């Protein structure tokens, strides 16, 4: 792997991380803290949506973000020919 491709690999990796962390922050802080009163006007499964995000929804989003990151990194590894399957 050349020095230029290494830099490109890490640039794309950091872009993925920043994007996913921004989603994580928006869900955990925004939906569960800042917008809880607005979200509580709606119900999901009998529970207020703001409460649901604070207790359950953010956990589901976090697990989904892990799966998205794994898929993105596997594709990135294949693109730069550094995947484990070789």
């Amino acid at each position: 792997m050349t020095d230029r491709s290494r830099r490109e690999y890490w640039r794309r990796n950091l872009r993925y991380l920043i994007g996913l962390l921004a989603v994580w922050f928006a869900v955990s802080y925004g939906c569960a803290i800042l917008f809880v009163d607005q979200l509580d006007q709606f119900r999901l499964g009998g529970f207020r949506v703001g409460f649901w995000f604070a207790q359950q929804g953010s956990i589901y989003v976090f697990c989904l973000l892990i799966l998205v990151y794994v898929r993105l990194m596997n594709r990135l590894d294949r693109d730069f020919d550094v995947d484990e399957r070789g």
Side-chain angles (χ1 to χ4, degrees):
M1 185 181 246
T2 66
D3 193 42
R4 182 177 180 186
S5 62
R6 252 187 240 124
R7 280 195 301 267
E8 176 62 20
Y9 177 90
W10 283 108
R11 187 183 67 77
R12 285 176 56 184
N13 184 12
L14 289 176
R15 190 171 12 141
Y16 293 155
L17 283 173
I18 290 168
L20 293 173
L21 285 173
V23 171
W24 180 48
F25 178 79
V27 169
S28 64
Y29 189 72
C31 293
I33 296 172
L34 292 179
F35 303 117
V36 71
D37 293 331
Q38 290 85 351
L39 291 172
D40 277 344
Q41 296 174 6
F42 306 100
R43 293 200 172 267
L44 180 68
F47 298 100
R48 295 171 306 194
V49 173
F51 172 78
W52 185 83
F53 260 107
Q55 300 301 315
Q56 303 270 346
S58 58
I59 294 170
Y60 292 137
V61 171
F62 300 154
C63 291
L64 181 64
L65 288 175
I66 291 169
L67 294 175
V68 168
Y69 181 71
V70 167
R71 289 184 58 99
L72 287 171
M73 288 308 297
N74 282 338
R75 185 172 21 149
L76 182 65
D77 287 350
R78 277 193 308 275
D79 290 347
F80 283 87
D81 199 29
V82 292
D83 59 332
E84 295 177 359
R85 293 178 226 160

